[in-house]
């Protein structure tokens, strides 16, 4: 008779980040994640410090085109005094190849054929307003300006960038905020708002 003795040693290493994806935490807090982990069990070696995961600090945006198609998913992970922004397309071919303006806009609305806060002709996602400005910041580039999103010839894009121009609290105020991808740069469509996602804890 053969017995399998090593099976218990196989541990599926789930990424810690996955556990934070659905956190509804919206408590405004300016404190970094310094809350010590409370553990009374004596089993954990005192010397092993847990890798600090941005629990409750991450925000997510699901960007959709004006016709409702899913375009990309973005995450905002706040740690170490800055935010790491990751944008990845989920459907290839909606965004044209090339560089696209990528900004956090000041109002968390993603409404096709809507009117801007300063009224004018309607257009896609105009009700998201202009670029986010952090409190007290008035200069350009605006706080919500991010590096451009480069879309490959196959119609997909994947970007990881960092910035310290806004905080988590700046994104979850009363108006919330939206992440918008514009049309391809150096084309007539560059100012267009092609994809939009409200930034939230989900
Ligand atoms: Cu913009």
């Amino acid at each position: 008779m053969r017995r399998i003795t090593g099976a218990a040693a196989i541990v599926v290493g789930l990424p810690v980040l996955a556990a934070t994806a659905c956190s509804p935490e919206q408590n405004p807090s300016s404190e970094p994640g310094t809350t010590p982990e409370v553990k009374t069990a004596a089993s954990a070696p005192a010397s092993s410090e847990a890798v600090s995961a941005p629990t409750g600090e991450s925000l997510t945006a699901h960007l959709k085109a004006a016709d409702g198609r899913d375009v990309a998913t973005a995450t905002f992970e706040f740690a170490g005094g800055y935010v790491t922004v990751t944008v990845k397309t989920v459907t290839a071919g909606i965004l044209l190849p090339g560089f696209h303006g990528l900004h956090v806009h000041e109002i968390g609305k993603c409404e096709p054929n809507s009117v801007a806060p300063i009224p004018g002709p309607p257009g896609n996602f105009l009700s998201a307003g202009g670029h986010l400005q952090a409190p007290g910041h008035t200069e350009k580039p605006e706080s919500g300006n991010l590096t451009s999103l480069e879309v490959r010839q196959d119609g997909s894009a994947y970007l990881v960038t960092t910035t310290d121009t806004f905080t988590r609290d700046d994104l979850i105020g009363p108006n919330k905020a939206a992440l918008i991808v514009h049309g391809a740069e150096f084309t007539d469509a560059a100012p267009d708002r092609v994809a939009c996602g409200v930034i939230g804890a989900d």
Side-chain angles (χ1 to χ4, degrees):
M1 185 191 303
R2 299 180 64 188
R3 299 184 61 185
I4 301 172
T5 56
I10 300 171
V11 176
V12 179
L14 287 175
V16 179
L17 285 179
T20 69
C22 297
S23 168
E25 270 296 324
Q26 292 210 344
N27 297 331
S29 168
S30 57
E31 293 184 16
T34 54
T35 307
E37 189 180 9
V38 178
K39 275 206 168 187
T40 53
S43 58
S47 61
S48 79
E49 286 194 28
V51 176
S52 74
T55 307
E57 298 292 312
S58 294
L59 298 172
T60 303
H62 300 284
L63 284 74
K64 292 178 181 289
D67 62 9
R69 286 180 295 171
D70 291 318
V71 175
T73 297
T75 58
F76 298 76
E77 294 173 11
F78 295 86
Y82 60 91
V83 55
T84 300
V85 183
T86 303
V87 181
K88 191 168 189 179
T89 51
V90 295
T91 308
I94 298 178
L95 300 175
L96 293 178
F99 291 89
H100 293 248
L102 178 68
H103 320 122
V104 176
H105 282 247
E106 61 188 344
I107 300 171
K109 290 182 180 175
C110 288
E111 302 168 320
N113 197 36
S114 58
V115 175
I118 300 173
N124 289 332
F125 308 129
L126 290 185
S127 60
H131 297 169
L132 176 79
Q133 284 283 35
H137 189 265
T138 57
E139 299 85 28
K140 292 190 175 184
E142 292 95 345
S143 311
N145 257 293
L146 296 170
T147 191
S148 294
L149 179 69
E150 183 179 6
V151 178
R152 306 189 303 264
Q153 289 298 319
D154 65 6
S156 296
Y158 180 32
L159 173 71
V160 180
T161 186
T162 64
T163 183
D164 56 7
T165 55
F166 55 84
T167 67
R168 186 177 188 275
D169 287 353
D170 295 334
L171 303 184
I172 58 172
N175 290 332
K176 304 188 79 173
L179 183 67
I180 288 181
V181 177
H182 290 268
E185 293 176 2
F186 312 112
T187 73
D188 291 342
D192 293 352
R193 301 181 179 194
V194 175
C196 180
V198 176
I199 301 167
D202 155 70

